[in-house]
Amino acid sequence: MHEVGFLMQAFVFLAAAVIAVPIAARLGLGSVLGYLCAGAVIGPFALGLIGQDIEEVMHFAEFGVVMMLFLVGLELDPSLLWRMRMPIVGMGGLQVVLTTAAITAIAWQFTYSWQHALIIGMVLSLSSTAIVLQTLNEKGLMKNESGQSAFAVLLFQDIAVIPMLALLPLLAVTEVGTFSDKHLLPGWQSALLVLGVVVGIVVVGRWLSRSVFRIIAQTRLREMFTATALLLVVGIAVLMEQVGLSPALGTFVAGVVLANSEYRHELEAEVEPFKGLLLALFFISVGASIDFALLAAEPLVIMAMVGALVLVKMVILLVLGKVFGLTSRSNAIFTFSLAQGGEFAFVLFSYASAQDVLPQTIIQPLTLVVALSMALTPLLFVINERLVLPRLGVKSQAGSRPLDALEKAEGKAILVGFGRFGQIVGRLLRMNGFEITVLEHDAQQVDLVRSFGHKVYYGDAARMDLLETAGIDEVDLLVLAIDDHARMLKTIHQVKRHHPQIKILARAAGRREAAELIHAGADHIERETFDSALSMGRKALSLMGFRAYQAQRAAQLFKHHDKKSLYALSEVIEDDKKYITVAKQHATDLEKVLRSDDQANTDLDDRGWDSGS
């Protein structure tokens, strides 16, 4: 019976998702709202199709958040953190501090102690990483100014959970003796336990993980790597639960530890499908957890609390966006995207209950408020797109579009990106008799170039399964002509790991990006403005008095030594100090080479290069 019950419950979850999500997507509401509505309908407080054990389902579904935080941690390499240090620490830190202070001040008017008010302020200052990132990705906003700002704030919030977990036991209003009934530690010991486990994951992860993954990679069995990746995530989650801490916190730290690992992109590719499925289950569970009985008992109070939470956060976010110089459009998206409670609220409220620092009379209504605010997030996006952005003179983003059905590679090359850069490469190859398969991630660009008769597929080349469907194992060359540096790095890592024989030609925006692409495994690099800048420099030398051959030779020497320098820089790209040192040394060497070459050729009869001679 238990097996039948499990299968029936799984069927109900899948059926609800299959019915609700396409409807929500058709209405332009996004998949997240579809999942939430599906959960609310089938939940124990509505139709009751999944019974009363929603807490058990939620506990399982939280692994979606666990895996999502692991993947977020994998993205946090030191160079990215350093580039985003101002929005992360400045914008993210101010958001948490100001929101905590504002909500604490309001909560203190309705609670008996400042400790309770501070806990409520901290918990409600967090936003939903799962919903916001999912929605921003669906709408293609992650690489925009608004998406990067939202990501920075969410990143700081996720990191802030660590000190919050450590601080919660110290805010206990009950006597220390009450902990003995539940075999829990006193506040200061519990705080030390949090920090100790986090430090342990960092220390062990640094010296053990690479050896283990190297051994697994040598087996060349993809399913073993998948199993090992899942073992790592689930193992850390179990460890954190055993010591009474958040599994999501542990896997987030583990992701950060592995961010510089050579297996980072492989881990990301293996965990991603499980994350998507479990996140869908998590959203359905959040919808099912909405207590309509409590909402019906005190509808005005609950809705007033939801409205107050959203309003307070929106005001603070709007001011921060102005202070940090976001455009009106970016600030609107930034403000509307983060004005909700987060999934970590469930974790923190559960931990606060276990530690006896917050009574159930406070936790139950606030949990409902967080769930409702999360359910409102997709609607806030719709309000912003249809009411706010048009008033700012901005057209809303096009909705998400399903990937095209790919055929096997038609020739010996796959071209990724068919914008102004990729079109030149693609047309040159096709006009010279080479059949190529073209992938483009911008839906509007796909429609545009198809109207001119070009055969282009809509798809994300960062997905290894999509590249394999396109026939990556049958081609000799992969050309990356997109302007998304992070996606190119991810694609190069994955292709070189699974198909090292394929030559990769990649487009780079600048010098550092080119060095990073070479370090990742690209065989050839073309900087998008290098040749045109070199041509202008050659013309400038001519106008300053250089003979044509002098200018041409100087430009060629510069190009040769710059390429040599680029490969040297790629070897030290992960060390900023060494990178700067090597760059300065090569610049000095190049100047010496150019001057000595000019002196050595002063008597050369090169007048044939000059026009009119």
Side-chain angles (χ1 to χ4, degrees), residues 329-520:
R329 175 184 183 277
S330 296
N331 200 11
I333 298 172
F334 172 71
T335 299
F336 277 84
S337 65
L338 296 174
Q340 77 286 110
E343 55 277 342
F344 269 123
F346 302 118
V347 176
L348 290 169
F349 279 142
S350 176
Y351 188 59
S353 176
Q355 294 282 357
D356 282 340
V357 298
L358 211 58
Q360 286 296 321
T361 53
I362 293 178
I363 291 176
Q364 288 179 352
L366 288 181
T367 301
L368 177 59
V369 167
V370 171
L372 289 173
S373 69
M374 292 171 68
L376 285 175
T377 302
L379 291 177
L380 291 176
F381 271 97
V382 172
I383 292 171
N384 181 48
E385 290 176 348
R386 298 185 180 179
L387 298 179
V388 178
L389 292 182
R391 292 179 180 274
L392 298 175
V394 179
K395 294 182 179 179
S396 62
Q397 294 288 318
S400 60
R401 165 178 175 164
L403 301 178
D404 288 338
L406 284 169
E407 301 172 3
K408 282 288 185 180
E410 300 164 343
K412 290 296 183 180
I414 293 177
L415 171 62
V416 179
F418 210 64
R420 57 182 176 82
F421 194 96
Q423 285 182 41
I424 296 174
V425 179
R427 290 168 60 194
L428 185 62
L429 287 172
R430 283 175 170 169
M431 288 177 180
N432 283 276
F434 292 98
E435 291 295 328
I436 58 174
T437 299
V438 181
L439 301 179
E440 171 60 56
H441 190 58
D442 187 330
Q444 293 181 344
Q445 183 68 13
V446 170
D447 294 336
L448 176 63
V449 297
R450 280 180 179 174
S451 66
F452 287 92
H454 296 288
K455 189 173 183 179
V456 181
Y457 294 103
Y458 174 68
D460 182 4
R463 287 176 46 181
M464 195 63 210
D465 58 337
L466 188 140
L467 282 176
E468 289 175 348
T469 302
I472 189 69
D473 54 337
E474 299 178 6
V475 302
D476 300 322
L477 177 65
L478 175 65
V479 182
L480 299 176
I482 55 178
D483 58 359
D484 189 330
H485 183 64
R487 183 173 277 124
M488 278 199 292
L489 287 174
K490 180 179 178 181
T491 304
I492 292 170
H493 276 291
Q494 294 187 130
V495 171
K496 281 298 183 181
R497 185 167 299 280
H498 293 285
H499 305 283
Q501 78 284 358
I502 294 176
K503 297 295 182 183
I504 298 179
L505 174 61
R507 162 193 182 182
R511 186 179 179 82
R512 187 178 184 92
E513 288 80 5
E516 289 177 349
L517 292 170
I518 293 172
H519 181 76

Side-chain angles (χ1 to χ4, degrees), residues 18-41:
V18 169
I19 294 172
V21 173
I23 295 174
R26 176 71 67 177
L27 296 175
L29 303 177
S31 64
V32 174
L33 186 58
Y35 289 126
L36 293 170
C37 292
V41 171

Side-chain angles (χ1 to χ4, degrees), residues 511 530 534 553-565 583-597:
R511 186 179 179 82
F530 182 77
L534 195 65
R553 183 173 177 84
Q556 289 302 313
L557 273 173
F558 182 92
K559 184 174 184 178
H560 172 75
H561 284 274
D562 186 78
K563 182 178 180 180
K564 182 179 177 182
S565 170
K584 287 182 177 179
Q585 183 60 48
H586 277 268
T588 302
D589 294 343
L590 178 57
E591 185 177 355
K592 291 179 180 178
V593 168
L594 289 173
R595 288 184 176 179
S596 62
D597 183 77

Side-chain angles (χ1 to χ4, degrees), residues 168-233:
L168 279 180
L170 302 179
L171 295 173
V173 181
T174 54
E175 296 295 328
V176 174
T178 59
F179 288 100
S180 60
D181 295 332
K182 294 187 177 182
H183 305 287
L184 296 173
L185 296 172
W188 66 272
Q189 291 185 16
S190 185
L192 287 178
L193 179 63
V194 174
L195 297 177
V197 171
V198 170
V199 171
I201 292 175
V202 173
V203 173
V204 174
R206 284 201 177 275
W207 66 265
L208 184 62
S209 61
R210 291 191 176 184
S211 300
V212 172
F213 283 118
R214 189 177 298 112
I215 295 171
I216 297 300
Q218 288 172 355
T219 66
R220 297 189 179 278
L221 296 174
R222 185 170 181 179
E223 62 271 19
M224 283 302 300
F225 207 99
T226 303
T228 307
L230 291 176
L231 177 65
L232 173 69
V233 175

Side-chain angles (χ1 to χ4, degrees), residues 6-16:
F6 172 77
L7 290 175
M8 179 57 70
Q9 189 163 284
F11 173 78
V12 170
F13 268 95
L14 292 173

Side-chain angles (χ1 to χ4, degrees), residues 28-96:
L29 303 177
S31 64
V32 174
L33 186 58
Y35 289 126
L36 293 170
C37 292
V41 171
I42 66 176
F45 304 106
L47 297 181
L49 297 179
I50 57 174
Q52 298 294 324
D53 55 350
I54 188 61
E55 289 189 6
E56 294 183 9
V57 178
M58 176 73 82
H59 186 68
F60 176 73
E62 282 179 358
F63 270 106
V65 181
V66 166
M67 290 187 174
M68 182 195 65
L69 265 295
F70 178 69
L71 293 176
V72 170
L74 282 176
E75 295 294 328
L76 301 184
D77 61 281
S79 60
L80 175 64
L81 286 173
W82 181 250
R83 288 196 298 270
M84 295 183 66
R85 62 190 183 278
M86 282 304 295
I88 290 174
V89 179
M91 191 179 292
L94 283 173
Q95 186 275 329
V96 171

